[in-house]
Amino acid sequence: MSTAAAAVIVHRKGYPKKKRLMYKELQELPKSYNVIALSKMTKVRASQLMLLRKKFRNDIKIRIIKNQVARRAFENVQGVAGLEHLSKELEGQCALMFTNISPFKLNLIFGQNKIFLAAKGGDVATKEIVIPAGNTGIAPGPVLSEFKVANVQTKIDQGTIWVNKDTVVAKPGDVISTQLASLMSKLNIKPIEAGIAVNFAIAEGLMFTEADLKIDLEEYRNELVRSFQQALALATEVGYATAETIKPMLAKAHQHARSLAAESGYLTPETAGLVLPRAQSKAQAVAGEAKKKGYSAQ
């Protein structure tokens, strides 16, 4: 569609003003920021979106869009690589984020602002769900059948239902039944993780999928520590002097010098504790061999 044709469609009489403004804005924002991120609004609460908008209003422009309006707007944006691929990802209710923050950092920011929701029948467990042992505070009644269906052992004590032991009621990938969802709701267990995630992003001509942007910070930190330790050990071994290796290099050289002095019998105040015991041990060994051959020490 040409720019002129699109303009006619957007400005024609009766076309909603809100869509006309969105169309215009979606042609301007991609040129103003280095990163454009797409998020599918599955299980995202309005309160979450409002909080993020308020918290990052100076750094992230968040826009809930109409997919067709966005596609038409992007067709007329020149000089922003990857927009055509982003347009293909627009399905369902979507939000676009315009920012100069790295898409990796953006995904981490959103990950730190997730919430947990009560489960509904048909939801899929993303991790192991456990009903903990202890007093539920619920009075005996029809709910006991829900515990039984979920294979949760209970007892009645002091007028309330107690769970006998921690019980796994769902594993990752399991579909949560309506009955189990009802039971967890009564127990105030909220196992469904909800929040914004970056499903697709373009940054300075590069494209990133959701899988590309997932970072295990703990594993990343551990890998950095392992790499540093291996580099330090290698540099120390080859004698490459730096601020980090000078101390272990001197300690290693000192240890080698002590071992060499002890082996060669070089006696100093520092090596006496090593040389004399070794000399005594060798003398005792020689005396033992001499005794075997009939010689005796005088």
Side-chain angles (χ1 to χ4, degrees):
M1 180 182 297
S2 68
T3 303
V8 169
I9 291 175
V10 172
H11 293 95
R12 69 188 180 191
K13 185 177 179 181
Y15 201 85
K17 181 179 179 181
K18 187 176 180 180
K19 288 187 178 180
R20 282 188 276 123
L21 292 175
M22 180 186 295
Y23 176 85
K24 183 178 179 182
E25 188 179 41
L26 289 176
Q27 290 184 88
E28 296 170 351
L29 286 174
K31 300 175 183 178
S32 304
Y33 295 91
N34 295 328
V35 175
I36 308 172
L38 165 68
S39 178
K40 307 293 178 70
M41 294 287 99
T42 306
K43 297 186 184 299
V44 176
R45 297 287 180 88
S47 57
Q48 286 177 274
L49 203 57
M50 188 180 300
L51 180 65
L52 285 169
R53 275 179 165 156
K54 183 178 179 181
K55 189 173 181 180
F56 300 102
R57 61 180 177 273
N58 296 324
D59 301 306
I60 307 171
K61 297 289 185 184
I62 302 176
R63 297 291 183 266
I64 304 299
I65 62 164
K66 297 294 183 183
N67 295 342
Q68 190 58 25
V69 174
R71 290 190 190 99
R72 288 179 174 174
F74 290 161
E75 285 175 359
N76 297 289
V77 177
Q78 304 296 321
V80 180
L83 273 181
E84 67 278 11
H85 298 286
L86 181 63
S87 293
K88 294 176 183 177
E89 299 292 330
L90 297 175
E91 293 180 359
Q93 182 62 70
C94 296
L96 289 176
M97 277 79 69
F98 301 88
T99 181
N100 291 322
I101 298 173
S102 155
F104 294 95
K105 185 176 180 180
L106 190 65
N107 209 33
L108 290 174
I109 289 172
F110 292 154
Q112 292 165 357
N113 286 274
K114 287 186 177 181
I115 62 172
F116 287 88
L117 306 176
K120 295 180 181 179
D123 282 340
V124 177
T126 56
K127 61 181 181 179
E128 191 173 81
I129 303 174
V130 177
I131 292 181
N135 186 3
T136 66
I138 301 174
V143 70
L144 283 169
S145 63
E146 294 182 7
F147 281 104
K148 186 174 181 180
V149 170
N151 294 318
V152 178
Q153 297 178 12
T154 60
K155 64 180 179 181
I156 309 300
D157 189 8
Q158 300 177 4
T160 58
I161 300 172
W162 288 65
V163 174
N164 292 341
K165 61 180 182 179
D166 290 353
T167 306
V168 176
V169 293
K171 294 182 178 179
D174 288 351
V175 177
I176 298 172
S177 68
T178 302
Q179 262 190 317
L180 179 56
S182 173
L183 175 61
M184 289 192 293
S185 179
K186 292 181 177 72
L187 296 171
N188 198 33
I189 295 174
K190 299 178 179 180
I192 303 302
E193 191 178 69
I196 297 177
V198 178
N199 303 110
F200 187 85
I202 55 176
E204 299 178 350
L206 299 176
M207 292 176 287
F208 302 92
T209 65
E210 185 174 358
D212 296 330
L213 298 173
K214 286 183 178 178
I215 300 176
D216 186 332
L217 285 181
E218 188 62 29
E219 177 57 29
Y220 191 68
R221 187 180 296 110
N222 292 339
E223 182 60 33
L224 285 175
V225 171
R226 285 194 297 269
S227 298
F228 175 78
Q229 291 172 338
Q230 291 169 358
L232 183 63
L234 177 61
T236 301
E237 185 65 30
V238 300
Y240 185 76
T242 68
E244 293 79 14
T245 62
I246 194 66
K247 286 185 178 179
M249 282 174 60
L250 290 174
K252 182 181 177 184
H254 181 257
Q255 183 60 41
H256 285 178
R258 282 170 57 86
S259 298
L260 178 60
E263 185 66 33
S264 64
Y266 184 74
L267 193 61
T268 70
E270 283 190 334
T271 62
L274 296 172
V275 173
L276 294 179
R278 288 173 65 90
Q280 183 181 13
S281 177
K282 289 180 179 180
Q284 288 176 342
V286 172
E289 289 297 321
K291 189 175 181 180
K292 289 178 185 178
K293 296 183 178 181
Y295 298 99
S296 60
Q298 298 295 328

